[in-house]
Amino acid sequence: MRKSAPDSHRHTALPSDLFLVTVYCDPGLLCGEPDEGRDVEVVVSALRTRPTEFRSAGGGELAVALLTPLGLLQAFRTPVEGLTDCRLPLAYFGGWNEQRALRHALAAAGSPQERLHRLSAWLERRISDTRALAGPQRRVSQAAMILYASAGVPPSTDAVAAQVSVGRRQLERDFRRWLGVSPGNYTRLVRFQRAAASCWRAAN
């Protein structure tokens, strides 16, 4: 999408049960390294556990991909313990070579549609990686998706732990390491998003 906020707009980001991959390039699509002074970002936003205010200014192109916990683990397989409510450079997950390669691929595209296609293809390649997730990653992804896909009131942590054949305490440790939150906190994020979606549908 095109982004334009020349007068510095204030926004509020609500708590979220999804991870975000955000790519932003300035109008000239100057996709270079940070020390080159070029305005470009490729970042992964961790789970938001509280409302966050931020300002935006200027114009450019913005692309955002939403990832479930399963999508995040399948794509990156990197622990995010202690990293809620923050934005991480792509290099944190795949190294600077990975970030540089994606920037160059986006810069070489001839149109916004082609850039979006290249971003989508890059994410799909990572998510469709056929290597099996390690045991803790697999347990966390299965448990989180049980909570994420639940209709109505999500099941308790004990019930989810039983479904993935692991003890409650081990599941809590795995959640904090790989998703940055406890199962209880993730459940609250799911409930918040369900309530927010219901309010939005009622208002529209």
Side-chain angles (χ1 to χ4, degrees), residues 106-139:
L106 296 174
S111 67
Q113 291 76 19
E114 178 61 20
R115 281 188 279 279
L116 184 60
H117 172 75
R118 292 188 180 195
L119 174 63
S120 299
W122 174 80
L123 274 172
E124 288 171 7
R125 281 196 301 273
R126 296 194 66 96
I127 292 173
S128 62
D129 188 337
T130 57
R131 292 176 299 152
L133 293 172
Q137 298 169 338
R138 185 175 63 254
R139 288 195 299 267

Side-chain angles (χ1 to χ4, degrees), residues 33-134:
E33 297 305 314
D35 58 4
E36 294 174 342
R38 293 175 174 178
D39 188 7
V40 62
E41 292 184 86
V42 183
V43 296
V44 180
S45 297
L47 294 177
R48 259 194 318 272
T49 62
R50 60 181 185 272
T52 303
E53 285 196 355
F54 64 95
R55 290 182 179 273
S56 63
E61 292 179 9
L62 179 71
V64 179
L66 305 177
L67 296 182
T68 64
L70 174 59
L72 178 89
L73 289 172
Q74 191 68 44
F76 299 121
R77 303 167 190 251
T78 304
V80 293
E81 188 168 10
L83 296 174
T84 57
D85 304 295
C86 66
R87 303 169 76 207
L88 305 165
L90 178 62
Y92 174 84
F93 296 91
W96 284 110
N97 287 340
E98 182 80 8
Q99 180 145 327
R100 187 179 299 110
L102 178 59
R103 284 173 166 175
H104 289 172
L106 296 174
S111 67
Q113 291 76 19
E114 178 61 20
R115 281 188 279 279
L116 184 60
H117 172 75
R118 292 188 180 195
L119 174 63
S120 299
W122 174 80
L123 274 172
E124 288 171 7
R125 281 196 301 273
R126 296 194 66 96
I127 292 173
S128 62
D129 188 337
T130 57
R131 292 176 299 152
L133 293 172

Side-chain angles (χ1 to χ4, degrees), residues 1 17 26 60-61 68 92 105 119 151 165 188:
M1 69 183 77
D17 54 3
D26 70 13
E61 292 179 9
T68 64
Y92 174 84
L119 174 63
S165 304
R188 284 188 282 276

